[in-house]
Structure formats: structure tokens, C-alpha cells
Amino acid sequence: IAAALGALGWKIAIGARRTDALAEVGKAVEAAGGRPFAHALDVTDPESIERFFAATEQALGPVDVVVNNAGIGLPGLLHEMPIDNVERELATNLLGPIRVARRALPTMLAARRGDLVFISSMNVVEPRPFQLGYTAAKAGLEGMVSVLRRDLEGTGVRATVVRPGATRSEFGFGWDPSILMRVIDSWKEWGYMRHLDMMEGAHVAHAVVSVVTAPPGLHVDVVQVNPERKPGS
């Protein structure tokens, strides 16, 4: 997403807890033609959010597009997993984007323009077993955005959901192999694995770019993208 926005020639602020990974993303933004600025960011920490925005505004100026893409998934059954896992998912996937949007809004409202993009999940419309906390957070996120969109009507600021299906990424890399097999078996049983093909991150990025480059006065509410089954797969 950062590289795709950089290809528009934009100044791009990137934030993450893993500051070592930001350097690689920054290089991709620069290679695409953008101007990167990297800074540590933990969306579960209000002070970290404030430091990120303050540093970004000082380096690049006012923020007019925000893409809320931070997310974690901690699979398990409610009666088996620690309740702390659910709390972490809600803090990162729901409260985090709310905090980030709240920090960005005053500047956007003053400028009477801006885009708030929230990366959701197909889990909202096709809830998957073993992803109770993740699904609850993403469903809550979409509910929040539907209200925010109405609250922002006529301000020039847009709030949009991008809802991707299976995407190739690091998501799930840290899952315990034993729980992963149970997850896969349950998804097959419920018919959520019609095929194993996945989208690339660039496909989701294309959807984000289409949202934030839409002409003023046009509000794209939800963009849902899914991988197509490849021939022979």
C-alpha cells in the first residue's frame, strides 16, 4: 500500500512497532517515486500515536490520507484461549484505528478534505471458526466506519472500508502449527476454502489507491476484493 501510494508521487509516512521492517518499506516507497518518512508506531498506545503524528507533521506537513492497516489475529476457541488474546485483538484491530482516526480528523476537517481508509476482512461477511476476537473486532470496525461516514457527510472527509479476502502476507506466520491445522480443517468443513489461491498485497493496494484517488464529491463506502481461482488450481 505504501509503495502504491508512493507511485503517485506522494509523501508517505509509515509506522509500525517493528522499526527494523520500516527501512525496507521506505526503500520500496522511494523506488516507486514517493518520499518516505518512517517512525515507530504502536496503535494500541495513545502516546505512540501522538508522537507518530507530531513527527510526521513536522517532517511532511498536514496528513490528508490515513490507511489503518495494523492488525493481528490470535486464533483459538473462546473457552480455550486466554482472554488477553481477545483484548489484544480488540485493542489493535478496533480501538487502534479509532484512536488513529480521531487524531487525524481535526486537521482534515479544518482543510475540508481527507481520506480515512480502514482495512477490514472478509470475516465480517463470512465469519470463520477459530477467529472470534478478530472477527468481532473487524465487525465492530465496519460498524464504526458506517457511523463515522454519516457523521462526516458534507465535510469533505471520507471514511471507507476496504474488505480483502485471502491475501499473501505475514499474517498467521506466528500461529502454532497444531492450532493452524485445526483452523484449516474447520475452514474446510465450513466451506471457507473453496480454493487455496491468494491475492498479493499489490491487489489490496490497488483497491486503496482507487479509493483515495476518487474525485471529490464521490464517496466509495466499501470495496470488497477477493482472489480469483487460477486455472487448474
Side-chain angles (χ1 to χ4, degrees):
I1 295 171
L5 296 176
L8 300 176
W10 291 6
K11 297 177 288 185
I12 308 294
I14 49 177
R17 292 175 300 175
R18 296 181 300 161
T19 54
D20 57 323
L22 291 178
E24 183 179 350
V25 178
K27 290 178 182 177
V29 171
E30 195 167 21
R35 176 184 166 189
F37 172 75
H39 194 281
L41 173 61
D42 181 348
V43 300
T44 69
D45 181 354
E47 293 182 1
S48 177
I49 293 172
E50 179 55 40
R51 288 193 297 268
F52 175 82
F53 271 89
T56 295
E57 290 164 346
Q58 183 175 8
L60 303 181
V63 175
D64 50 17
V65 171
V66 169
V67 181
N68 281 286
N69 189 46
I72 61 170
L74 303 170
L77 301 178
L78 182 59
H79 59 281
E80 294 180 354
M81 63 184 178
I83 195 64
D84 289 354
N85 284 13
V86 178
E87 292 176 354
R88 285 176 59 196
E89 289 177 302
L90 293 174
T92 303
N93 302 337
L94 177 57
L95 293 178
I98 291 175
R99 292 183 188 277
V100 169
R102 186 175 185 273
R103 175 58 177 81
L105 267 172
T107 300
M108 293 182 176
L109 290 171
R112 296 197 62 79
R113 64 184 177 87
D115 274 288
L116 296 167
V117 181
F118 300 84
I119 306 300
S120 182
S121 168
M122 278 296 294
N123 278 42
V124 174
V125 292
E126 294 181 352
R128 284 164 169 75
F130 283 85
Q131 289 197 301
L132 180 140
Y134 181 78
T135 302
K138 291 299 188 180
L141 182 71
E142 291 204 17
M144 182 278 294
V145 177
S146 69
V147 174
L148 182 61
R149 185 183 305 123
R150 289 163 173 78
D151 290 343
L152 295 175
E153 179 75 21
T155 67
V157 181
R158 302 184 288 206
T160 304
V161 166
V162 172
R163 184 193 294 151
T167 306
R168 201 181 313 279
S169 72
E170 294 182 7
F171 189 89
F173 274 20
W175 291 2
D176 182 90
S178 61
I179 192 83
L180 177 60
M181 295 311 300
R182 292 174 68 191
V183 170
I184 291 175
D185 288 344
S186 70
W187 289 2
K188 288 179 178 177
E189 182 179 347
W190 284 94
Y192 290 129
M193 297 189 72
R194 187 170 60 88
H195 59 78
L196 297 178
D197 293 325
M198 293 185 175
M199 297 182 294
E200 300 298 330
H203 296 137
V204 181
H206 178 75
V208 172
V209 169
S210 70
V211 168
V212 301
T213 57
L218 177 64
H219 200 146
V220 182
D221 296 344
V222 179
V223 177
Q224 181 171 299
V225 287
N226 279 294
E228 184 178 26
R229 183 175 184 173
K230 296 182 179 65
S233 67

